[in-house]
Amino acid sequence: MANTCAWFINLSDDEGAAQAAARQLRPYGLPVKGQRWPQGLSWLAAAQEAAAADAAVIVLIGSAQRFADPGLRRDLALFRLMLHSRAGRPLNGFTLLSGEPPSATGRKTELSVLDDWEPLSGNWPAKLVARAHAPIAPAWPVQLGLHAHERLGVWLETHPHAGGTTDGALVGVSGHGAKIDFHAVGPKGGLPAATDNQYEIKGLQFTAAGTAFEAWGLRNPITPDERYYVRLEGDPDLIALGTLPDGELQDVTLIRLG
């Protein structure tokens, strides 16, 4: 952890707020690095840059209105998942936002990848340093990660029940015409070199919480040290994760990207 840093993401062209926050953090000994978002970068390039800098905690700086933008939140969710996977540990996110967020009327109620990003206040630099060294894992009921390669594509790493063995796994996607076009089972933490897929399901369509999904699944037992990997075509808004006992779809967990 000796070379880790706080990774600042500035949503504004104005550097004033980010520079002021960096000055507040400087006496605490945690270096600050970062980027202006998106600055022509894709979420993939942004995550690669943050991972190369050994980011240990994320601070988002900008307006509450901008942070509420669905497209931005989706990109930040993908950024976060990939950064978690590259680091091999959780990275906590925090916000320093100005202004008021838009009305919550009509906002979605599913779990979100960004639900636990906390607003900073008070003696926030001390909290930031503590979380950089001892992050708190997300309280998601499923395991989520993401691996992206220019040649191999974007892969979601999943386990439908954190800490348990399941009878099969299923992932559905919805939004922006996103689809799944390949899947595999293998050890957690990286794409498997080979897979033995049992009782494959491809292109299953179902509706959950009023949203239409297209899903792929396998009957393979998934142990706590294994993951179900699906390759994404496009960036979905919503992900459904479930199991396939006896080859039948059971209840699914819905998680919003953003």
Side-chain angles (χ1 to χ4, degrees):
M1 297 287 290
N3 298 317
T4 58
C5 68
W7 190 257
F8 280 21
I9 296 175
N10 188 6
L11 299 180
S12 170
D13 291 335
D14 184 358
E15 299 287 348
Q19 291 173 351
R23 286 194 296 271
Q24 285 182 266
L25 186 57
R26 188 176 299 130
Y28 290 79
L30 183 64
V32 173
K33 299 179 182 179
Q35 61 203 172
R36 185 180 298 163
W37 191 284
Q39 201 178 19
L41 297 176
S42 66
W43 62 263
L44 170 56
Q48 290 171 332
E49 186 177 322
D54 203 8
V57 67
I58 304 161
V59 180
L60 186 81
I61 302 168
S63 74
Q65 287 275 348
R66 179 82 174 94
F67 184 50
D69 178 75
L72 171 69
R73 292 180 66 89
R74 183 173 60 252
D75 286 350
L76 286 171
L78 294 166
F79 165 90
R80 181 198 187 173
L81 290 176
M82 181 173 171
L83 198 53
H84 277 213
S85 298
R86 288 284 294 267
R89 64 179 186 273
L91 279 84
N92 294 148
F94 298 90
T95 60
L96 282 169
L97 302 178
S98 59
E100 294 295 324
S103 169
T105 302
R107 292 287 296 275
K108 304 298 182 181
T109 58
E110 303 91 359
L111 291 171
S112 165
V113 170
L114 302 182
D115 273 347
D116 61 347
W117 281 27
E118 303 175 38
L120 290 173
S121 61
N123 186 25
W124 64 262
K127 183 175 188 177
L128 212 65
V129 172
R131 290 289 188 87
H133 291 88
I136 296 176
W140 303 327
V142 298
Q143 296 285 353
L144 277 179
L146 190 137
H147 304 271
H149 306 266
E150 292 181 1
R151 183 173 59 87
L152 299 177
V154 176
W155 292 76
L156 195 65
E157 176 183 347
T158 72
H159 194 296
H161 290 302
T165 296
T166 64
D167 184 6
L170 174 138
V171 174
V173 294
S174 179
H176 293 273
K179 295 182 179 297
I180 295 168
D181 65 4
F182 205 83
H183 60 178
V185 171
K188 65 181 180 181
L191 300 181
T195 182
D196 177 20
N197 295 346
Q198 301 173 16
Y199 188 77
E200 297 179 300
I201 294 177
K202 300 179 180 180
L204 173 67
Q205 296 184 355
F206 65 92
T207 299
T211 300
F213 289 87
E214 184 171 307
W216 284 37
L218 295 173
R219 281 287 303 278
N220 299 53
I222 314 292
T223 70
D225 291 326
E226 292 180 316
R227 297 291 183 266
Y228 177 46
Y229 295 87
V230 297
R231 187 169 65 188
L232 299 177
E233 182 181 319
D235 298 336
D237 288 320
L238 198 60
I239 299 168
L241 295 98
T243 58
L244 286 171
D246 301 319
E248 299 294 331
L249 174 63
Q250 296 293 303
D251 291 340
V252 294
T253 297
L254 303 184
I255 296 188
R256 183 163 294 277
L257 291 178

